[in-house]
Amino acid sequence: MTTAFKTKLDAFKLGLGPRAWHNFRIDAGASVLFSFFNVVFNQFYVPMAIQQGASNLQVGIISAAPAVGLLFSPLWAAFIERSDPKPFVIVPNLIARALIILPAFFGVPLAYVGAALLFHMLMGIQSPGYAALVIRMYPPETRGRLMGNTRVVMGGLMIPVAFLVGRWIDAAGPSGPLLFAAATGVLSILVFARVKARKAAPPKLLGAKRFNFREQLQLVRQNREIAVFFLACTFTGFGNILAVPLYNIMQVDRLELSNTQIGIARAIYYICLLSAYFVTGRVIDKLSAKHTVAFGLAAFSIVPFCYALLGNYGAVLIGSGIQGLGDAIWDIGFLAYMFRLAPGREAVVVGLHFMLFGFRGTAGPLLSTFLADSVPLPYLLFGAGVCGLIGLTAFLAYNRGTLQVRGRTASM
């Protein structure tokens, strides 16, 4: 370690404070371990299910699974608001990541469908919990940068892992990678359990007594910016989730790509994801979370058009890269934006956001995979892109004044 690097590291640690520095190291270490699980489950799970004989309907159910559990996010958010959020993150993740051994031992489509549904039901608990936990882990002035840095570490490792996992599946089948993913996923959450979060709940949350869905909706009625954000996400998110299973069907059934070719596309995805994580965290802290949301909505709108208009392996590579940009912004940009929409009510806003994702995320994949046998894929993908543009246009139209302002006065 050079003297100059050690000096910068010491200054970085001093600027963060002991708790944030401890949490950053734990978060980064857990992210490194989670990268193996992330590649296998989030990038190869659906292609593996298709290769094991999953029908279009089963592909639709697996693709809709992330949304099913999120339908109940407002309910869990009500519990999390008046509790320590950490158990709501650790326990569901621990159980969910262990479930991936099911398709490893029973390599039939039903095992893939069942494990995906159970996994994401548990993720519906941890999603609002993580939103409440992360604001207690990091100070607001460095939160975006630290969230981005941990994901840069993770993304850098996932680039070669994506290619190697593709080769591994081609050579030995899916069982080994799935078991490895389960083991590293469980280990990563055990490491993450060591984070030290601020114990006291924000004052606004102390009065929460019970789940009141009407009161949560009142928060949206009183804040037009939240309503416009939800509207934009509904259209663009529906278009994105409508198209996602079609990407996998086109890659495996229509283009007949090998897992190695899919691995190359996933490596490109992670290169762009990594770059976007690096940039997004700094844009959030120095410019505006609102700007990152606009770029994210634009990215999700472009990908379906790539597949619809090109329809070849080049479209897969280009679309994978742009999808990586959008997913990075969705991960930390959208979250940071929601933190600033309703300070003290973050869990509620995130819970409602995920509930709406639950509705569109359940309907979209089931609709697209149902229609895939009777409607040409380019038509479906083009329609998904149009939905994305509607959401993007709504967000830009409402925020056209503040998006032109530079500096922290534009941040929200």
Side-chain angles (χ1 to χ4, degrees):
M1 182 182 296
T2 65
T3 303
F5 178 76
K6 188 176 185 303
T7 301
K8 290 182 180 179
L9 182 61
D10 290 339
F12 180 66
K13 291 165 57 177
L14 185 63
L16 292 181
R19 177 187 285 122
W21 171 242
H22 169 83
N23 289 338
F24 174 70
R25 288 185 296 131
I26 295 299
D27 199 5
S31 296
V32 167
L33 291 168
F34 180 69
S35 63
F36 299 102
F37 177 91
N38 196 352
V39 168
V40 174
F41 187 73
N42 289 325
Q43 299 301 318
F44 285 93
Y45 194 81
V46 175
M48 286 190 292
I50 296 173
Q51 291 160 1
Q52 296 298 310
S55 65
N56 282 349
L57 177 60
Q58 289 171 323
V59 171
I61 294 172
I62 294 172
S63 299
V68 174
L70 295 177
L71 289 170
F72 305 100
S73 285
L75 174 62
W76 292 115
F79 288 112
I80 292 164
E81 272 197 309
R82 58 181 185 270
S83 308
D84 178 6
K86 189 174 176 180
F88 290 90
V89 176
I90 303 302
V91 176
N93 267 301
L94 188 64
I95 299 171
R97 296 177 190 186
L99 287 172
I100 309 307
I101 64 174
L102 293 177
F105 287 119
F106 309 99
V108 295
L110 187 59
Y112 283 86
V113 173
L117 286 171
L118 291 172
F119 177 93
H120 289 293
M121 286 294 290
L122 291 163
M123 291 301 97
I125 302 172
Q126 79 88 36
S127 295
Y130 179 77
L133 179 62
V134 75
I135 62 173
R136 305 184 188 192
M137 289 170 53
Y138 299 129
E141 61 273 11
T142 58
R143 189 180 297 140
R145 179 158 53 97
L146 294 176
M147 290 170 64
N149 286 344
T150 58
R151 286 156 175 80
V152 166
V153 174
M154 180 173 63
L157 184 59
M158 288 191 292
I159 294 169
V161 169
F163 176 75
L164 294 174
V165 167
R167 294 290 299 270
W168 188 4
I169 297 171
D170 277 339
S175 294
L178 286 168
L179 289 172
F180 182 68
T184 54
V186 168
L187 185 58
S188 69
I189 198 62
L190 292 176
V191 171
F192 185 77
R194 297 175 58 201
V195 296
K196 297 177 181 178
R198 178 166 50 87
K199 297 296 184 183
K204 290 183 180 180
L205 304 185
L206 294 176
K209 296 181 179 179
R210 60 186 178 85
F211 173 60
N212 189 332
F213 185 62
R214 181 176 296 179
E215 186 270 338
Q216 292 187 5
L217 290 180
Q218 188 65 25
L219 181 66
V220 179
R221 296 191 188 100
Q222 294 172 350
N223 190 324
R224 183 174 295 179
E225 189 167 3
I226 296 178
V228 172
F229 173 68
F230 283 172
L231 177 67
C233 288
T234 295
F235 277 97
T236 301
F238 179 76
N240 179 60
I241 198 67
L242 184 82
V244 165
L246 303 180
Y247 302 155
N248 290 291
I249 292 172
M250 179 173 284
Q251 291 170 21
V252 178
D253 285 346
R254 305 299 169 88
L255 299 178
E256 298 182 343
L257 303 181
S258 67
N259 285 300
T260 301
Q261 289 175 305
I262 294 173
I264 294 171
R266 297 303 188 261
I268 292 175
Y269 167 89
Y270 285 122
I271 290 171
C272 293
L273 186 82
L274 174 65
S275 302
Y277 275 142
F278 184 80
V279 173
T280 300
R282 284 151 181 80
V283 171
I284 291 169
D285 289 336
K286 295 185 178 180
L287 181 59
S288 165
K290 188 180 293 183
H291 285 75
T292 67
V293 171
F295 287 121
L297 294 172
F300 288 136
S301 303
I302 293 170
V303 179
F305 288 119
C306 288
Y307 276 83
L309 298 176
L310 299 178
N312 53 24
Y313 187 47
V316 174
L317 298 178
I318 296 170
S320 295
I322 299 174
Q323 189 78 21
L325 301 177
D327 284 348
I329 295 171
W330 171 278
D331 188 8
I332 60 175
F334 282 38
L335 198 61
Y337 181 61
M338 287 186 282
F339 288 161
R340 301 179 186 186
L341 286 175
R345 307 303 307 277
E346 294 89 355
V348 169
V349 176
V350 173
L352 289 171
H353 173 66
F354 283 139
M355 183 195 70
L356 293 174
F357 171 77
F359 286 118
R360 65 179 180 263
T362 301
L366 295 177
L367 177 64
S368 64
T369 52
F370 174 76
L371 295 175
D373 291 327
S374 56
V375 179
L377 290 186
Y379 292 0
L380 294 174
L381 290 164
F382 191 85
V386 170
C387 284
L389 290 179
I390 293 172
L392 173 64
T393 302
F395 187 81
L396 293 177
Y398 180 79
N399 294 288
R400 60 185 180 275
T402 52
L403 284 172
Q404 294 173 355
V405 180
R406 295 195 175 271
R408 288 195 175 272
T409 55
S411 65
M412 175 55 67

